[in-house]
Amino acid sequence: MRSSYCENSNFSHGPPRLIVVCDDPKVPAELTPKRVLRGMLARGSGYGIAPPTWTLGKQERRADRPREVKKASRQVQKRLRKKRFCNAESLRLAAKLSRCDRRHRCFSAACPQCARALQRVLVRILAPFLKERVGAELWGTLSIILPPTDPDAEIDFAAERERYQTVLRRAGFTLGVFGLDCTFNEDWRDLNPPKKPFLPHACVHLHGFAPIEDIEAALPLLKKLVLATEAVPRPFHHSAFDAAVKGVAYNFKPSFERRQTIEQFDPRRAKLVRNTRHRPQLTVEQQIRAVRALDQAGLNGRIILLGVHFEIVPTARARTNPQT
């Protein structure tokens, strides 16, 4: 039996609502239709400063506001037009982003304005849905990192989405909400032979939420399906999930970062240990690779839903009781 959670469920009149519909767990997951997400963005959902709100990182920095993402969009356009990386595709994408405004949205996943709006729409509908599910059963977070098939190849979210869906199906997952993230990994360690630093590469990885029972049951299979490498010594990780809005927002964050593997001295162990240094600012080349991949992927290209899907339904009118 299907069940659903509706956005704006407290209103009897208004624009169409986005709902989360629970499917038959035996039905394979399908790609979320672009028209569903584009339909919500076309109505202006997510572009303003209305709730939900959340903070970013350990410093609890507030999320970017419309004026800041417009500035970020202009920076992306400027980088796309740089002579060193300029070509017909880059110029087309820069022109597309430059025309995005309140009267005409570009609906590109590479556009900082539209990507932020999409994140906010997803958080607005999924956060209450997940909170409701967490209240009924224990849910957890799950991260999986598959090594890239070709470190020098362009980022292909469609192919990576298929890889991760295959892993999730083989591990036995039938219910979950997942998103694809991407990091640019660099090895800054000074290693002695025979050890060698891994080559710089873009790595697409999965992060999302599922019932904790399903995660624990899948761990033995994940150990066989997802193997550790020098670049990724811990290819999967899981923890408890409290349905915090911040966690849901991270699942669909619109920007990527650099991860630099370094060695630091640990006074407790009295030796050098491996650590990761996060750098939110991408290089010009990395950002151009990212925005091209995002534009090609589309609004739905980084979303993986198992056992649920999105629908847009008209708002039902409120029933009134006859007066006596």
Side-chain angles (χ1 to χ4, degrees):
M1 183 176 180
R2 300 199 318 173
S3 61
S4 64
Y5 181 88
C6 300
E7 182 186 22
N8 300 330
S9 57
N10 295 329
F11 296 91
S12 57
H13 300 272
R17 299 168 296 178
L18 182 66
I19 68 172
V20 180
V21 180
C22 297
D23 302 319
D24 183 343
K26 297 180 181 179
V27 177
E30 296 183 357
L31 186 66
T32 302
K34 289 183 181 180
R35 60 175 177 79
V36 174
L37 302 175
R38 183 166 179 160
M40 294 305 299
L41 298 186
R43 296 174 177 87
S45 298
Y47 288 97
I49 58 174
T53 59
W54 58 88
T55 57
L56 305 175
K58 296 180 180 180
Q59 292 77 23
E60 300 292 332
R61 181 174 63 85
R62 66 171 176 81
D64 291 339
R65 300 173 76 86
R67 182 177 298 179
E68 293 159 346
V69 293
K70 286 182 181 179
K71 182 178 179 180
S73 180
R74 289 192 294 268
Q75 182 185 32
V76 171
Q77 297 166 38
K78 184 178 179 180
R79 289 188 164 189
L80 286 169
R81 295 189 177 102
K82 276 187 174 291
K83 185 176 181 179
R84 179 183 172 189
F85 305 99
C86 187
N87 55 34
E89 182 184 359
S90 296
L91 291 176
R92 176 197 62 81
L93 184 53
K96 183 179 183 180
L97 300 187
S98 67
R99 291 193 295 267
C100 186
D101 57 29
R102 295 180 62 181
R103 296 176 296 277
H104 177 81
R105 292 300 181 184
C106 67
F107 304 117
S108 171
C111 173
Q113 298 182 78
C114 293
R116 171 184 176 271
L118 175 63
Q119 180 193 32
R120 289 169 57 78
V121 166
L122 293 175
V123 171
R124 188 177 298 161
I125 181 62
L126 285 172
F129 171 77
L130 290 170
K131 186 174 183 179
E132 185 179 86
R133 304 292 296 196
V134 170
E137 58 182 331
L138 292 177
W139 275 51
T141 64
L142 175 67
S143 298
I144 302 176
I145 306 176
L146 296 176
T149 54
D150 183 359
D152 297 325
E154 291 297 322
I155 305 168
D156 187 347
F157 283 109
E160 295 296 331
R161 184 181 186 277
E162 192 62 35
R163 290 178 71 201
Y164 280 105
Q165 273 199 167
T166 300
V167 169
L168 291 172
R169 285 196 298 265
R170 293 179 64 183
F173 288 95
T174 58
L175 179 63
V177 176
F178 302 93
L180 294 181
D181 192 9
C182 182
T183 57
F184 291 86
N185 300 340
E186 306 165 3
D187 196 341
W188 285 46
R189 295 174 297 170
D190 185 14
L191 299 179
N192 297 320
K195 291 186 176 181
K196 295 181 179 180
F198 59 80
L199 297 176
H201 62 277
C203 182
V204 176
H205 52 95
L206 176 137
H207 181 80
F209 316 104
I212 197 70
E213 288 185 2
D214 293 353
I215 295 176
E216 292 177 348
L219 290 180
L221 284 172
L222 287 176
K223 291 179 181 179
K224 298 178 181 180
L225 294 171
V226 188
L227 302 179
T229 64
E230 177 61 27
V232 187
R234 296 179 62 193
F236 61 90
H237 174 74
H238 70 96
S239 61
F241 176 53
D242 58 0
V245 173
K246 181 178 180 179
V248 182
Y250 180 84
N251 207 37
F252 304 102
K253 64 188 183 73
S255 58
F256 305 146
E257 65 178 16
R258 299 166 66 187
R259 290 185 179 178
Q260 298 171 346
T261 299
I262 59 174
E263 285 186 329
Q264 288 183 331
F265 182 77
D266 187 348
R268 292 181 300 176
R269 303 182 188 179
K271 65 176 183 178
L272 291 173
V273 296
R274 177 172 176 157
N275 201 355
T276 301
R277 184 167 57 192
H278 299 265
R279 291 290 182 266
Q281 187 70 29
L282 301 181
T283 66
V284 176
E285 182 179 5
Q286 289 170 346
Q287 187 166 34
I288 289 177
R289 289 183 64 191
V291 296
R292 286 176 178 172
L294 287 169
D295 184 63
Q296 184 179 9
L299 296 174
N300 58 347
R302 296 196 296 136
I303 303 172
I304 298 178
L305 303 178
L306 299 179
V308 298
H309 71 271
F310 295 136
E311 286 183 6
I312 293 181
V313 296
T315 304
R317 292 182 175 273
R319 295 181 178 180
T320 56
N321 296 324
Q323 294 182 354
T324 59

